[in-house]
């Protein structure tokens, strides 16, 4: 069915309706532009060909959707959000009359190969815009660049950076990314001639003098006080791994920091994030960056927008969906002194899914025709998530004031968007310098400590060298003493052997003396007997006397030999005593040398332990320096 206020006509159709004569007649003749929002279950080539035929040369732009928005079916009022169920067959057409649109110029921009590095991709898209030649002068007061981007290209911000690099579009850029099924396998656009993928279709629209437009933006979030700066990130892969802590400037694991902020375990992190998201702030406005997934194994936080090194992400908290829309719309209507004609909506699929139980209660726009689609990402100067962005159209009589905060201040907005990418680069360079400065400062401190350690180690090494020389001397002295003791001990052994021999000689002599004494006693006893016999004993006495003389001589010889053996024994004992004194002195010297040696070895061991401990301590510092440098290099690579 159709609803027409002679300015904007809405058609809510199915593929079966396209071939019907009455449906063909519903498209207003002379329409200046038709925008179509097609459910992903409909064959794009077939429907594009059919619609092109019935539109009879009217500029026709189509996009696949993740959900259709249309609040009119003839005179019947519809819920704005239509169910995004599987296998739906929904076509929403929004037809603009010549009273609203005076001119249309359509451009298709190649988004380049997905595997290209972001810098190269921006460079090549920028070159596309160098050849950009609008069919009419662009004026931010009456022109809009309605822009649709392939929703699976992940190129929205690269595209916008290229736009600002080119300087070719001094007008409002608003739109969204084509949506599709939740299997994220296919999205498409139709540029008026063919179905395209991995492209952007930009529709330059110039409005008539009687038309004014305003930018309505709504998102149910509020800022919190917690934020961080992105460190290691992959803009093409749309994930971050590490962040820079504001309090210490340290680079740390992003998942761990989030768990620390929410004071939760990793397995509870996603639950804690249910009512939160992240955002950047540009010129005081919030631009949401929604988390798509958390890969705990790879330590990656994935987003629906590209995130770059140097971005400051602020944690934002959900607010009430319905009251936020009403509050934002009431604020938007201020200064709009004209007749509302309708609106073109681009609403995030994630916003739709999170608030699906409240969609039926969105009745704020029932008085004007609204059409649009749920996107895989919204555009309003930059890429956004979880945001409703809309163009609202008004007829304004001549001389009546009309104010829209966004449009009336677009020069400042444009400068802020352009500055965002410049500030991102400046922030990246500043963060790199800060990281380098911190790494250098940490390295300098650690190098100073290492220098002190080296000096102390050198002193200890010199001391150890001296100790080793002294220990070497002690070992030489100890060896000398041991050799002296060994030599004296050998000499003592020989003297003891001589002493033993002399003692045996003395023992033999003494035995002889004892025998002589016994014989002398016997002879004396015999002589006494013989003397008693007087006369006849004279001769016998003479014999005994002769034997006594022999014994006396023998005794003298034994005594002389005993004297010599005793003298030799005394000399040996004196020599032995002297050698024992020498050994005692040598042993004393050995004990002193041993004590000195033990002391030096203990000191050497203590010094070695001190050096070892300092090596261990400074090894940690060296490891810290290395880790800091590696983190710095990782951050630089994140660019």
């Amino acid at each position: 069915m159709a609803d027409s206020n002679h300015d904007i006509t809405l058609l809510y159709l199915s593929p079966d309706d396209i071939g019907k004569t009455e449906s063909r007649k519903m498209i207003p003749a002379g329409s200046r532009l038709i925008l179509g929002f097609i459910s992903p279950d409909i064959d794009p080539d077939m429907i594009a060909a059919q619609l092109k035929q019935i539109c009879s040369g009217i500029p026709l732009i189509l996009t696949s959707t993740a959900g259709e928005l249309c609040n009119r079916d003839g005179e019947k009022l519809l819920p704005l959000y239509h169910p995004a169920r599987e296998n739906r067959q929904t076509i929403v057409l929004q037809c603009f009359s010549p009273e609203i649109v005076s001119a249309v110029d359509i451009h298709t921009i190649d988004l380049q190969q997905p595997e290209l590095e972001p810098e190269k991709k921006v460079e090549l898209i920028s070159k596309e815009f160098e050849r950009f030649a609008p069919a009419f002068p662009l004026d931010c007061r009456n022109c809009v660049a309605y822009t649709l981007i392939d929703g699976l290209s992940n190129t929205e911000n690269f595209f916008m950076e290229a736009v600002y690099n080119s300087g070719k579009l001094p007008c409002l850029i608003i739109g969204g990314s084509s949506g599709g099924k939740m299997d994220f396998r296919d999205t498409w656009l139709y540029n008026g001639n063919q179905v395209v993928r991995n492209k952007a279709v930009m529709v330059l629209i110039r409005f008539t003098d009687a038309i004014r437009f305003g930018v309505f933006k709504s998102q149910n979030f509020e800022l919190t006080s917690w934020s961080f700066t992105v460190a290691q990130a992959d803009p093409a892969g749309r994930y971050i791994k590490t962040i820079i802590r504001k309090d210490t400037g340290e680079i740390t694991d992003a998942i761990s920091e989030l768990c620390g902020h929410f004071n939760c375990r990793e397995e509870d992190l996603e639950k804690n994030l249910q009512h939160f998201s992240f955002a950047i702030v540009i010129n005081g406005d919030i631009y949401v960056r929604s988390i798509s997934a958390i890969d705990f194994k790879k330590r990656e936080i994935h987003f629906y927008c590209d995130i770059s090194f140097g971005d400051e992400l602020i944690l934002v908290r959900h607010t009430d969906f319905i009251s936020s829309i009403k509050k934002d719309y009431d604020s938007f209507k201020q200064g709009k002194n004209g007749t509302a004609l309708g609106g073109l909506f681009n609403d995030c699929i994630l916003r739709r899914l999170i608030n699906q139980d409240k969609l039926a209660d969105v009745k704020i726009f029932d008085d004007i025709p609204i059409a649009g689609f749920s996107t895989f990402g919204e555009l309003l100067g930059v890429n956004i998530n979880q945001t409703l962005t809309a163009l609202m159209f008004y007829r304004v009589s001549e001389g009546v004031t009309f104010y829209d905060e966004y449009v009336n201040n677009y020069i400042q907005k444009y400068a802020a968007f352009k500055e965002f990418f410049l500030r991102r680069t400046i922030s990246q360079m500043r963060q790199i310098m800060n990281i380098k400065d911190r790494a250098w400062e940490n390295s300098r401190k650690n190098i100073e400590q290492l220098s002190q350690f080296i000096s102390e180690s050198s002193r200890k090494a010199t001391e150890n060298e001296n100790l080793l020389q002294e220990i070497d001397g002690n070992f030489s002295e100890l060896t000398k003493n041991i050799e002296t003791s060994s030599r004296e001990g050998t000499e003592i052994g020989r003297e003891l052997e001589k002493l033993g021999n002399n003692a045996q000689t003395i023992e033999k002599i003494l035995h002889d003396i004892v025998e002589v004494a016994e014989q002398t006693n016997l002879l004396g006893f015999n002589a006494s007997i013989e003397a008693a016999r007087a006369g006849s004993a004279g001769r016998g006495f003479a014999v005994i006397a002769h034997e006594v003389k022999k014994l006396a001589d023998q005794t003298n010889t034994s005594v002389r030999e005993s004297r010599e053996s005793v003298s030799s024994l005394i000399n040996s004992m004196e020599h032995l005593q002297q050698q024992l004194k020498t050994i005692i002195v040598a042993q004393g010297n050995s004990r002193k040398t041993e004590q000195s040696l033990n002391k030096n070895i203990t000191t050497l061991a203590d010094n070695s332990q001190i050096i070892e401990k300092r090596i261990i301590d400074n090894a940690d510092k060296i490891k810290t320096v290395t880790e800091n440098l590696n983190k710095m290099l990782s951050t630089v690579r994140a660019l």
Side-chain angles (χ1 to χ4, degrees), residues 1 15 44 115 118 122 144 154 192 238 301 303 348 363 383 387 395 428-429 444 465 486 500 535 555 627:
M1 298 296 291
E115 65 272 10
V122 171
V144 167
N154 292 346
R238 295 187 166 186
I301 302 177
F303 290 80
C348 176
K363 304 179 184 298
N383 192 201
T387 304
R395 176 177 286 107
Q428 290 171 347
M429 301 308 297
R444 185 187 62 78
E465 183 180 3
S486 176
T555 299
E627 288 175 350

Side-chain angles (χ1 to χ4, degrees), residues 411-427:
I411 293 175
Q412 290 86 344
K413 298 284 187 183
Y414 181 92
F417 291 135
K418 187 176 179 67
E419 182 191 17
F420 164 73
F421 293 102
L422 294 175
R423 283 193 297 107
R424 171 186 277 182
T425 301
I426 293 170
S427 174

Side-chain angles (χ1 to χ4, degrees), residues 242-273:
T242 58
I243 66 173
I244 303 172
R245 293 187 59 174
K246 285 193 169 184
D247 53 349
T248 63
E250 295 178 357
I251 298 175
T252 185
D253 178 75
I255 293 176
S256 298
E257 282 301 303
L258 277 177
C259 290
H261 174 73
F262 287 108
N263 192 26
C264 70
R265 300 173 301 174
E266 289 189 358
E267 52 264 40
D268 298 324
L269 180 57
E270 290 174 314
K271 179 181 177 181
N272 279 271
L273 282 169

